Amino acid sequence: QVQLVESGGGLAQPGDSLRLSCAASGFTFSHYHMSWYRQAPGKDRDRVAFISDTGATIRYLASVRGRFTISRDNDKNTVYLQMNTLKVEDTAVYYCAARESVLTSEDYWGQGTQVTVSS
Protein backbone atom coordinates (compact mmCIF):
# COMPACT_ATOMS: atom_id res chain seq x y z
CA GLN A 1 0.00 0.00 0.00
CA VAL A 2 1.52 3.26 -1.15
CA GLN A 3 1.57 6.07 1.38
CA LEU A 4 2.94 9.58 1.43
CA VAL A 5 2.44 11.19 4.81
CA GLU A 6 3.26 14.86 5.26
CA SER A 7 3.96 16.46 8.60
CA GLY A 8 5.40 19.65 10.03
CA GLY A 9 2.81 22.16 8.94
CA GLY A 10 1.21 24.63 11.27
CA LEU A 11 0.89 28.28 12.15
CA ALA A 12 3.87 30.58 11.74
CA GLN A 13 4.55 34.29 11.76
CA PRO A 14 6.14 36.14 8.86
CA GLY A 15 9.87 35.57 8.95
CA ASP A 16 9.59 32.26 10.78
CA SER A 17 10.79 28.88 9.58
CA LEU A 18 9.03 25.54 9.23
CA ARG A 19 10.28 22.16 8.09
CA LEU A 20 7.92 19.84 6.30
CA SER A 21 8.55 16.12 6.07
CA CYS A 22 7.01 13.52 3.82
CA ALA A 23 7.45 9.89 4.77
CA ALA A 24 7.02 7.44 1.92
CA SER A 25 6.17 3.76 2.00
CA GLY A 26 4.89 1.07 -0.32
CA PHE A 27 7.19 1.84 -3.25
CA THR A 28 10.90 2.05 -3.99
CA PHE A 29 11.47 5.59 -2.83
CA SER A 30 14.98 5.89 -4.23
CA HIS A 31 13.64 5.28 -7.75
CA TYR A 32 11.19 8.17 -7.60
CA HIS A 33 11.51 11.87 -8.19
CA MET A 34 9.84 13.85 -5.45
CA SER A 35 8.09 17.20 -5.45
CA TRP A 36 6.39 19.56 -3.08
CA TYR A 37 3.30 21.37 -4.29
CA ARG A 38 1.08 23.92 -2.63
CA GLN A 39 -2.45 25.12 -3.16
CA ALA A 40 -3.95 28.22 -1.63
CA PRO A 41 -7.74 28.70 -1.47
CA GLY A 42 -9.14 29.60 -4.87
CA LYS A 43 -5.80 29.14 -6.61
CA ASP A 44 -4.20 26.48 -8.75
CA ARG A 45 -1.84 23.92 -7.32
CA ASP A 46 1.75 24.97 -7.98
CA ARG A 47 4.87 22.92 -7.80
CA VAL A 48 7.12 24.53 -5.22
CA ALA A 49 10.16 22.30 -5.43
CA PHE A 50 11.43 19.22 -7.21
CA ILE A 51 14.24 16.84 -6.41
CA SER A 52 15.32 14.00 -8.64
CA ASP A 53 15.67 10.41 -7.47
CA THR A 54 19.35 10.77 -6.69
CA GLY A 55 19.09 14.37 -5.49
CA ALA A 56 21.31 15.55 -8.32
CA THR A 57 18.67 17.81 -9.85
CA ILE A 58 16.70 20.36 -7.85
CA ARG A 59 14.24 22.96 -9.08
CA TYR A 60 12.29 25.68 -7.30
CA LEU A 61 9.36 27.92 -7.98
CA ALA A 62 10.81 31.39 -8.49
CA SER A 63 8.92 32.91 -5.58
CA VAL A 64 10.51 30.51 -3.06
CA ARG A 65 14.01 30.22 -4.48
CA GLY A 66 16.55 31.25 -1.87
CA ARG A 67 14.06 30.74 0.98
CA PHE A 68 13.02 27.09 0.62
CA THR A 69 15.26 24.05 0.42
CA ILE A 70 14.18 20.60 -0.70
CA SER A 71 16.19 17.57 0.35
CA ARG A 72 15.74 13.84 0.63
CA ASP A 73 17.07 10.94 2.65
CA ASN A 74 16.76 7.76 0.63
CA ASP A 75 17.73 5.67 3.64
CA LYS A 76 14.77 7.07 5.58
CA ASN A 77 12.39 7.21 2.60
CA THR A 78 11.70 10.82 3.43
CA VAL A 79 11.69 14.12 1.56
CA TYR A 80 11.90 17.45 3.34
CA LEU A 81 11.05 21.04 2.63
CA GLN A 82 12.85 23.56 4.78
CA MET A 83 10.97 26.84 4.58
CA ASN A 84 12.71 29.95 5.85
CA THR A 85 11.69 33.60 5.91
CA LEU A 86 8.06 32.64 5.53
CA LYS A 87 5.66 35.13 4.01
CA VAL A 88 1.91 35.50 4.30
CA GLU A 89 1.64 34.46 0.65
CA ASP A 90 3.21 31.09 1.50
CA THR A 91 -0.04 30.15 3.23
CA ALA A 92 -1.41 27.03 1.53
CA VAL A 93 -1.91 23.33 1.84
CA TYR A 94 1.39 21.67 0.98
CA TYR A 95 1.47 18.28 -0.71
CA CYS A 96 4.29 15.93 -1.52
CA ALA A 97 4.16 13.85 -4.66
CA ALA A 98 6.18 11.11 -6.30
CA ARG A 99 6.75 10.22 -9.92
CA GLU A 100 8.86 7.49 -11.39
CA SER A 101 9.47 9.26 -14.68
CA VAL A 102 9.93 12.96 -15.39
CA LEU A 103 8.00 12.33 -18.60
CA THR A 104 4.75 11.47 -16.81
CA SER A 105 2.51 13.06 -14.24
CA GLU A 106 2.76 12.39 -10.52
CA ASP A 107 2.10 8.79 -9.58
CA TYR A 108 1.35 9.30 -5.90
CA TRP A 109 0.16 12.14 -3.70
CA GLY A 110 0.09 12.78 0.00
CA GLN A 111 -2.92 14.08 1.86
CA GLY A 112 -1.45 17.53 2.45
CA THR A 113 -0.45 19.60 5.44
CA GLN A 114 -1.68 23.11 6.16
CA VAL A 115 0.83 25.93 6.47
CA THR A 116 -0.57 29.23 7.68
CA VAL A 117 1.61 32.31 7.89
CA SER A 118 -0.03 35.17 9.74
CA SER A 119 0.92 37.94 12.10
Side-chain angles (χ1 to χ4, degrees):
Q1 177 186 0
V2 171
Q3 280 193 310
L4 291 173
V5 180
E6 300 98 335
S7 60
L11 178 63
Q13 293 187 334
D16 283 355
S17 297
L18 284 175
R19 189 194 196 202
L20 305 183
S21 300
C22 173
S25 60
F27 63 99
T28 306
F29 180 76
S30 61
H31 291 181
Y32 280 71
H33 312 296
M34 300 299 297
S35 295
W36 285 97
Y37 289 77
R38 69 185 181 189
Q39 187 167 23
K43 296 190 176 181
D44 293 334
R45 184 176 298 188
D46 291 324
R47 190 170 72 179
V48 174
F50 165 90
I51 186 167
S52 62
D53 51 357
T54 63
T57 300
I58 290 176
R59 298 283 186 264
Y60 295 102
L61 184 68
S63 60
V64 309
R65 192 175 295 122
R67 299 188 297 120
F68 290 11
T69 302
I70 189 171
S71 62
R72 66 189 296 160
D73 186 335
N74 284 350
D75 291 331
K76 295 183 178 179
N77 289 353
T78 301
V79 61
Y80 305 96
L81 186 68
Q82 177 67 42
M83 305 186 295
N84 297 332
T85 319
L86 283 163
K87 302 177 180 181
V88 172
E89 50 265 40
D90 294 321
T91 296
V93 178
Y94 284 72
Y95 301 87
C96 68
R99 70 173 68 185
E100 191 168 19
S101 169
V102 295
L103 300 177
T104 62
S105 58
E106 305 291 354
D107 295 301
Y108 309 120
W109 290 88
Q111 81 289 350
T113 186
Q114 176 70 47
V115 171
T116 302
V117 184
S118 174
S119 56

